[in-house]
Structure formats: structure tokens, C-alpha cells
Amino acid sequence: MAYAGLDTFLKGEPRAVDDLDDVDVAVFGVPYDGAVSNRPGARYGPGAIREASAWWAYLSEYKGALTNMRTGDQVDFDEFSVADVGDAPVFPMDHETTAESVTAHAATLAARAFPVMLGGDHYCTFPAFRGFLEGSGHDSVGFVQIDAHTDTVSESPVFGTDFHGSSTARIAELPGVEYDSVSQVGIRGYESPDFFEFADETGLNLFTMNDVDERGIGPVVADAVEAAAEGTDAVYVTFDVDAVDPSVAPGTGTPCPGGLTSGQALETMEVLGAHDAVGAVDLMEVAPRYDATEGTERLAAYLLVTFLERKFAR
């Protein structure tokens, strides 16, 4: 039953990080929100997403396989194996040591399986990306960021150089990464002065919510992942749940109105999961305490299930 047994992602087998040679997908959590600039609570995201994901494992188990009523596809989650290696050790008062731990976990997983990270605040994507770059053996990696915010702050007078608003800036400084291989989808709200000029100068592939509204989410995401894949060896995908409108997903630390619908979010993951270049994914900033309906973590789990279905079970 979905509510029985261990809370692992998709009821995947608990494994050690060095025991993944026969596994397709390796999931790890980062229960850390020590780098937020607004409301805390994303430390509870990994556990909430794991618990919510059990529903699809239950359905697939007792029905044998499933029909995706959005796409018409026949889906059998037994076609790929999922292991849950638990959480990376975190150090609540030490973001540097936490980042080293996340990097080590991500690198170990990337060398053995397809890594999935459950966050956690969005700063954790920087060390996870760094670990994927190191562990995968790729020389260059593109980055697709689904988000309300660009996270390109180089330095804050309050939060310094390492917080959830700087993760993309830190990623763009890594060897093998340039802003012209970074794509961002769903950006809205407010950014730094002259941000559009910054995007033009750096080559950042910027797709705002206005672009989504004008062109449709499918074409925008397709262009975004193609831009990130061009000239790189692989693409890392990060999905900040605040990309979704807070009327749908209020359980996050920095909600911003005017975001993606749940249907647009699902289509985003369908497009990304079907792209051969994508080699890692994370789902960040779920703060379940702000959503009494449990809908935000349920959507987050659904988004990852959708992605993995397209990647492994079609």
C-alpha cells in the first residue's frame, strides 16, 4: 500500500551509494534550507516528495502497468529500476560543508546511474550540478532551469555569495559551463536592474512567462533544452516548484504569482524527459508546511514521475 512500508521514492529499494551498478535511477535527498532568503521549510521537501510518490508505485504494482490518460501511452514502471540512497549528510550551520557533501553524493551517483535529487533549497543545485559534472566524466554540461527566479545574483550584501539566489551564478562559473548553455523558463516577478541587458551580454537563454504565454510551453521548453544541449555533452535539469503558480503550489518559500499551470508543468517534464541529452534532474524548494492540502508535494512527485516515465518507460 502507498501508506505502508518505507518512504522511499517510488517505493524504490533502499541502497548504499556504492551499490548501484544494476540500477537505472538513483534518488537522493538534501533536507537543507540554510541558504534561503525568504521562508524556511524546504528541509522537509525530500520526505514529503517521497511519501507522495508512493501512490504511483502502488498503482503500477496492483494494476500491472498503467495508461497515461494525458498522453495515451502505456507505462510500466517495472521497466526501470529505482534505488533510493537516502539523504546526503547536511550541516545546518555550515553551507560549505553541506555543499561538499552534496557534491560527493551527486558525483558518486552520476558515475553509476541517472541521478535524481530531491530538495531542499535551490542553492543545493549548485553543488549537485558540480558533482554531476565531476562524476559523469563530461567536459561540458548545459543547464535548464524551470523557475520563477533567475538565481543569478553574484553577491548579496546580506547573504553573501552562496545562497539560493546565487546558485545559477555559481554554476556559470564552473569549468565547462557558460551562460550561453544555460536556459531559464518561467521567469517572472522582479530581477536586477537592466537584467535583459545582462542576459543579452552573457548569452543567457531567457524564456519569461510572457514567452510561455505567447508561444506555448511546449515550444519554449523544446527551444530551451536544445539551446542548453548545443555544444555540450549533457544537460542537467532543475525544477524549482515556485515556477508553478502559487494558487496551485503554495508550499514553497518564495511564491510568485503568474506562474505555470499544473498542466504546463507536466508538459514541461514530458518535453525534458524525452530529450536524449538530459542526464540528471532535481526538484527543489518544496516547503510542505505552507500547503495544508499536501498538493505541492503531490505535484512535485507527479512531475518527477512524468519525467522518468518519458525517460525510461515509454
Side-chain angles (χ1 to χ4, degrees):
M1 303 301 295
Y3 48 80
L6 294 175
D7 283 333
T8 60
F9 186 77
L10 275 181
K11 292 294 185 181
E13 182 183 357
R15 290 282 193 97
V17 293
D18 58 355
D19 181 26
L20 299 171
D21 292 339
D22 59 342
V23 168
D24 296 311
V25 178
V27 180
F28 75 110
V30 183
Y32 181 80
D33 58 11
V36 296
S37 60
N38 198 8
R39 304 186 299 181
R43 70 186 69 176
Y44 302 109
I49 295 170
R50 284 184 172 111
E51 183 177 1
S53 75
W55 178 248
W56 288 272
Y58 158 71
L59 284 180
S60 183
E61 178 70 22
Y62 99 87
K63 290 180 180 290
L66 299 172
T67 300
N68 185 327
M69 297 303 291
R70 263 182 64 89
T71 64
D73 292 330
Q74 298 299 301
V75 183
D76 185 354
F77 290 110
D78 287 337
E79 291 185 8
F80 64 99
S81 55
V82 178
D84 192 322
V85 303
D87 294 336
V90 298
F91 303 84
M93 304 304 292
D94 187 344
H95 73 266
E96 292 183 357
T97 304
T98 297
E100 292 171 2
S101 172
V102 173
T103 295
H105 262 65
T108 301
L109 268 59
R112 293 169 168 79
F114 186 99
V116 176
M117 181 172 71
L118 313 177
D121 73 52
H122 218 170
Y123 173 69
C124 301
T125 292
F126 159 59
F129 182 101
R130 182 173 61 187
F132 176 71
L133 184 61
E134 294 174 1
S136 65
H138 298 310
D139 293 325
S140 61
V141 174
F143 186 56
V144 174
Q145 176 181 349
I146 315 300
D147 204 332
H149 314 95
T150 68
D151 300 341
T152 54
V153 177
S154 294
E155 184 172 2
S156 162
V158 176
F159 300 105
T161 59
D162 294 275
F163 72 113
H164 75 161
S166 72
S167 52
T168 304
R170 300 288 80 81
I171 286 170
E173 294 172 348
L174 292 171
V177 184
E178 302 288 345
Y179 266 117
D180 61 8
S181 62
V182 174
S183 295
Q184 300 181 327
V185 175
I187 305 301
R188 58 192 190 275
Y190 295 87
E191 287 292 333
S192 303
D194 302 320
F195 185 81
F196 287 106
E197 288 79 356
F198 167 82
D200 288 340
E201 291 170 1
T202 59
L204 171 67
N205 302 289
L206 179 66
F207 301 90
T208 67
M209 274 305 300
N210 285 339
D211 296 313
V212 172
D213 292 338
E214 291 173 4
R215 298 181 52 206
I217 189 64
V220 164
V221 175
D223 286 351
V225 69
E226 282 296 330
E230 185 177 357
T232 62
D233 299 324
V235 172
Y236 184 111
V237 167
T238 184
F239 196 116
D240 186 326
V241 81
D242 71 23
V244 182
D245 192 81
S247 64
V248 176
T252 192
T254 311
C256 184
L260 300 174
T261 67
S262 58
Q264 288 173 324
L266 289 168
E267 186 174 353
T268 295
M269 288 309 225
E270 288 167 359
V271 174
L272 293 172
H275 201 286
D276 291 340
V278 176
V281 67
D282 68 40
L283 200 301
M284 310 303 288
E285 296 280 354
V286 171
R289 64 172 57 186
Y290 304 116
D291 186 353
T293 71
E294 302 180 356
T296 303
E297 56 260 42
R298 191 175 301 113
L299 175 62
Y302 206 158
L303 293 172
L304 287 172
V305 167
T306 297
F307 176 92
L308 293 174
E309 171 195 329
R310 300 292 283 192
K311 177 62 69 175
F312 292 103
R314 285 179 66 245

